[in-house]
Amino acid sequence: MALSGMRGLSVFISDVRNCQNKEQERLRVDKELGNVRTRFKHEKGLSPYEKKKYVWKMLYIYMLGYDVDFGHMEAVSLISAPKYPEKQVGYIATACLLNENHDFLRLAINTVRNDIIGRNETFQCLALTLVGNIGGREFAESLAADVQRLLISSSCRPLVRKKAALCLLRLYRKNPDVVNVDGWADRMAQLLDERDLGVLTSSMSLLVALVSNNHEAYWSCLPKCVKTLERLARNQDIPQEYTYYGIPSPWLQVKTMRALQYFPTVEDPNTRRSLFEVLQRILMGTDVVKNVNKNNASHAVLFEALALVMHLDAEKEMMSQCVALLGKFIAVREPNIRYLGLENMTRMLMVTDVQDIIKKHQAQIITSLKDPDISIRRRALDLLYGMCDVSNAKDIVEELLQYLSAADFAMREELSLKAAILAEKFAPDLSWYVDVILQLIDKAGDFVSDDIWFRVVQFVTNNEDLQPYAAAKAREYLDKPAIHETMVKLSAYILGEYGHLLARRPGCSPKELFTIIHEKHPTVSTSTVPILLSTYAKILMHTQPPEPELQNQIWSIFNKYESCIDVEIQQRAAEYFALSRKGASLMDILAEMPKFPERQSALIRKAEDAEVDTAEQSAIKVRAQQQMSTALVVTDQRPPNGTPPPPTVGPLSLVKVPSETVDSDQNPGDQGLTQPNGVVYQEDPQQPSQDIIGDLLGTLSIEGPPGAVAPLAQSATSEAESVPSAADAAALVPVGEESGSVQPIGNINERFYALCLKDSGVLYEDPNIQIGIKAEWRAHEGRLVLFLGNKNTASLGSVQALILPPTHLKMELSLVPDTIPPRAQVQCPLEIMNLRPSRDVAVLDFSYKFGPTMVNVKLRLPAVLNKFLQPITVSPEEFFPQWRSLSGPPLKLQEVVRGVRPLPLPEMANLFNTFRLTVCPGLDPNPNNLVASTTFYSETTRAMLCLVRIETDPADRTQLRMTVASGDPTLTFELKEFIKEQLVSIPTAPQRPQGPTAPPPQVAQIAGPPPAASQDPGALLAGLL
Amino acid sequence: MIHFVLLISRQGKVRLTKWYSPYSQKERSKVIRELSGIVLNRGPKLCNFVEWRGHRVVYRRYAGLYFCMCIDEADNELEVLDIIHHFVEILDRYFGSVCELDLIFNFHKAYYILDEVLIAGEFQESSKRTIIRLLSTHDSMVEMAKEEATSIGNMIAQVTK
């Protein structure tokens, strides 16, 4: 045992080691920390030796896992010590105790720089090591030039230069701009001629980082890499000390081949030939030997060579050689090599043409799925997942299912998710898919996420052929003595919807279905009860003629839950109870759920988003590229007339809410009914003339008309009051003259405002296209689906949708197809995330081409502030302390608003409620006042409570005083302005049709001075458009 | 690149930690706790790789001591396993058949040696001889300074008495 040469330190370490238990150890450490702390306080009296000793002690304590919150300064200050021993301690301790974000580190920059540019080689090494290990952005900016100079200096010894290379690598990672490509590429090529293998190894690491970002600039390095590889692989003039178990520096070989993988190809035929010779030599000349270390080293090189061959997509001959090698590897006993064999085989799947060869190894891979080593099992699972396609899905999925019961807990979730995805993608037939998922739930219910069973419901709903089968299967599982709660949910849902299809089978009468489902009722949690209630209601509805006994039984359950503490359950119970007494209307409302719109599988999305530790990304990408089985394409997914789907398709709601019916009426087929009056469509002669004039004026005032049209239109206005019929005729002319231009149907602004209040409806419509919207909002996130419906019998081309998001929204629009086929509807989901409170409005810049006409509209999207509100009722006990604690500006703002549209108080309360501001009656003793509360969600504010108070003057309804409070100043301001906008302009009131580019109505129609309208960014933005 | 190096004893005691990616103090403790749980519980004759939080941890056991290095998924696992063994061989040559106690009482030297093998989480020097030569120069410099310091220290002590 070598001694540290520091007695005090050794004694302390021995003491700690001799401690009998953790408690003693803590006491000893605390004592020492106290000691060190006092010593540091009287720093003056410390000799360099002592200082060094205490810093070591501190580091040791830190390493034991204790918090050391002092002494960092002392460690850093040692860096500037003049003598090597202290300086070295300072450098090592600093590098261990601090990370790049630590403030103290900044203090050291100057000293470190002095050491780097100084003459003392040892100091240079220490400084470069520190910067290389924990240097951050600031270091990069102030030191990169010096480090570069050292690396290429001819007077520096290799010792310093190899450290400089890696130090520069770190600085480059922290700030890529510090390595100037133009000047550096040639230097880099020169560095690769280096004879010293230490410097060359470090430089190669640097090159790997550089080419991974920009291979273009470093083409000149490619032949040098090949030369280096040749030199190593042929074992020529390599000093003995640079071989490792007889292999010329495996590290340098690996690095060189890694660098080569960043170049897309090797063009020069000579270079290419030499490279392939070397690779061939590596592939052929590596055997599994007895010595573990030699094995590891030679296979490190071999696997890197395999990766390079795969990358260069070499001649078929080499590729098949690789597959053969991998096939050998996945069968060897050596676990490391088996692991890497499986991993590289998964990577190999990216290369086409080899899949069939890989499939030959399926049995061997399945064996590895049962390996004692979880790392290997994971690789095997990933490979099976990657290689699965229509031809082998049945085998693989069944294998996975079988393995599921034996698999360890750490893997079950991943396993079930993957099995579910494969079953969905490659199902040879749908009943098999249902079987698989039911087995999955049966075997590993705890690990089957809701997404999986939701998906089954979607498929069953959308495929009529499947419904009786699924119902029968669900019924079968209910016979089992103990089933998982997810199974209860799924079978209850399916039997509620489709149980009546089984009516004639034994054990499937409504009564029997009810009994067997209700048997499970005592064991389920509150999340399942609502589903059961819906199922009971549906069973009741399907029982024709009604059975009084069953009816009473179900009613008594509804009765019981009418006083349930869970709101969802209570509401369902109350509603179903009331509905079920109404007879005929029950049939309508509880009718079978409509088909689901086809959407990306939530599972696949989940897998894509999933933490990388659950699934190898590459395999998923392979999956994504492969074609899906056609069996599971949802048949007849589009309702006949392109109806936007009903708003609530959440799997838990079984009932069509009456309002949905209204919403879904707004489809192209019914547009005549919902067309607002302000239609400007030249072929419709029956319009009220005022509207046309109004529209003309609207257009005139904003865009400026073609010169010839202006006077005509103006005269039309003046005549309009006196002689409407003349105006009618006059007005129609200019509109008609704009032949070819496509006019919107309905008022765009009204549509926008209507959508601000509800979540589905039509955003825009013209003779060619209808754009519908359906949105779902959850906290600060939203998902909006655009339904682009082509109304014509010809295709619409050059379709483009561009989102112009305001800064506070993060929006991602999925791909919009270039053409929309005749009479077709495409759906484009748009993901929205609210970052912070703001009233700015996102704009959809939409264009398409119909025949020769290019149509372009800019539409505001209803992703507005109130969508991120969630109603909340607060009690007086919660309200008042909160109200008081938000004492004044900027968190609480008050304003007297004039020019308010006069509204009776209840109507104002209604208005608030539609904006998801819950009015809390009774909180304010004054009956003329309103108090409301809501929760606002954004990424920065998270969930934040907002409180609002409105004081009205019964004598003058056009003014009121408003107070808004929340925990965030911006939120308070924005919410206040938002409410003000709503109060001073009720957008639906006056019919004032405007073109697609018109500003929001409040600019034009506010009676009083429009408060803050000029600063309103939303209005400004819209005005600009 | 190597994100961190961890030496843990079979009893879960930390013998050396080195972080090349910025981890806060809290994260460091969490990583150590999590990884010792995973690595120490692995049986013999399994492969030397563990998948952990989207990274790979390459580890190898020498007597009662586990050497762990955390790398990216795309990195070459065997190359890192070679680095571990290379590091152990250097320790062995420096201390003369190294044992855990050497690393406990000379933990600061272990850090210094590691700095000669890795910088910025990248491999630096594959020649054991070069490294050993450097280490002995380093030791003699410390030794020289110590002698100097003792003599000066004595003088000061005498004067200030």
Side-chain angles (χ1 to χ4, degrees), chain A residues 485-543:
Chain A
E485 189 164 344
T486 305
M487 186 68 90
V488 178
K489 288 182 184 170
L490 179 59
S491 25
Y493 186 102
I494 290 184
L495 288 174
E497 287 286 309
Y498 309 111
H500 60 279
L501 302 176
L502 305 176
R504 290 204 194 121
R505 304 194 193 182
C508 297
S509 70
K511 171 113 182 93
E512 283 161 313
L513 285 184
F514 167 75
T515 315
I516 195 153
I517 295 173
H518 195 57
E519 258 172 32
K520 314 290 173 195
H521 171 265
T523 60
V524 299
S525 66
T526 43
S527 66
T528 308
V529 176
I531 301 177
L532 294 186
L533 292 182
S534 302
T535 303
Y536 299 161
K538 295 226 166 185
I539 290 181
L540 203 53
M541 190 242 332
H542 283 302
T543 315

Side-chain angles (χ1 to χ4, degrees), chain A residues 1-5 9-10 13-14 17 22 25 49 52 56-57 59-60 62-64 66-67 83-85 88 92 95-101 122 126 128-129 132-134 159 162-163 166-167 169-170 173-174 196-199 201-202 205 241-242 244-245 249-251 254-255 258 292-293 295-301 303-304 335-337 339-340 343 347 371-376 378-379 612-613 615-617, chain B residues 1-2 13-25 27-29 32 42 45-56 59-60 62 73-87 89 94-96 99-109 111-131 133-134 137-139 141-146 148-149 152:
Chain A
M1 182 181 96
L3 278 172
S4 70
L9 181 61
S10 301
I13 295 175
S14 304
R17 280 179 52 75
K22 197 77 194 157
E25 185 186 291
Y49 171 79
K52 199 169 90 175
W56 280 142
K57 280 183 177 174
L59 187 59
Y60 188 76
Y62 170 80
M63 210 170 67
L64 287 177
Y66 293 92
D67 252 358
K83 291 253 168 50
Y84 175 76
Q88 184 239 354
I92 290 186
C96 287
L97 291 170
L98 307 186
N99 72 29
E100 64 181 62
N101 304 317
T122 332
L126 286 173
L128 288 171
T129 307
N133 286 340
I134 59 164
L159 168 70
K162 69 183 183 195
K163 288 186 162 61
L166 291 177
C167 183
L169 165 57
R170 165 119 192 166
R173 279 181 186 149
K174 295 297 156 192
D196 182 278
L197 285 183
V199 179
T201 309
S202 298
S205 295
E241 56 186 286
Y242 281 97
Y244 175 84
Y245 288 90
S249 180
W251 299 283
V254 167
K255 291 252 175 291
R258 190 46 71 100
V292 182
N293 297 314
N295 243 344
N296 286 341
S298 61
H299 283 80
V301 175
F303 277 109
E304 204 60 49
N336 287 342
I337 295 181
Y339 175 95
L340 293 171
E343 176 175 35
R347 287 187 185 150
D371 196 275
D373 187 345
I374 187 169
S375 299
I376 291 180
R378 282 224 162 96
R379 286 298 110 230
V612 251
D613 61 1
E616 166 88 8
Q617 294 292 310
Chain B
M1 75 175 269
I2 296 169
K13 296 250 187 243
V14 180
R15 297 301 178 211
L16 181 143
T17 59
K18 185 89 188 167
W19 310 84
Y20 297 102
S21 292
Y23 290 83
S24 73
Q25 182 51 48
E27 290 163 337
R28 290 180 183 187
S29 323
I32 295 173
R42 277 175 67 83
K45 292 190 183 160
L46 302 184
C47 70
N48 294 91
F49 321 124
V50 184
E51 298 175 16
W52 172 79
R53 288 211 225 159
H55 291 292
R56 296 277 155 83
Y59 75 96
R60 189 161 172 189
Y62 293 88
E73 268 190 353
D75 288 342
N76 187 322
E77 291 89 347
L78 285 177
E79 182 205 359
V80 177
L81 199 56
D82 292 339
I83 296 180
I84 290 180
H85 188 68
H86 179 65
F87 178 47
E89 283 186 339
Y94 177 78
F95 287 107
C99 67
E100 197 180 332
L101 275 181
D102 292 324
L103 298 183
I104 295 173
F105 283 95
N106 298 287
F107 67 96
H108 49 303
K109 288 195 177 161
Y111 278 106
Y112 185 78
I113 298 170
L114 184 62
D115 276 347
E116 291 301 326
V117 180
L118 296 175
I119 289 185
E122 298 286 347
F123 187 69
Q124 184 190 175
E125 179 57 74
S126 49
S127 156
K128 287 190 270 281
R129 209 174 70 186
T130 313
I131 293 180
R133 219 166 30 217
L134 268 170
T137 330
H138 157 77
D139 281 346
M141 278 166 70
V142 176
E143 216 42 57
M144 256 161 55
K146 195 157 69 182
E148 233 173 84
I152 298 173

Side-chain angles (χ1 to χ4, degrees), chain A residues 309 333 530:
Chain A
V309 173
R333 271 184 54 203

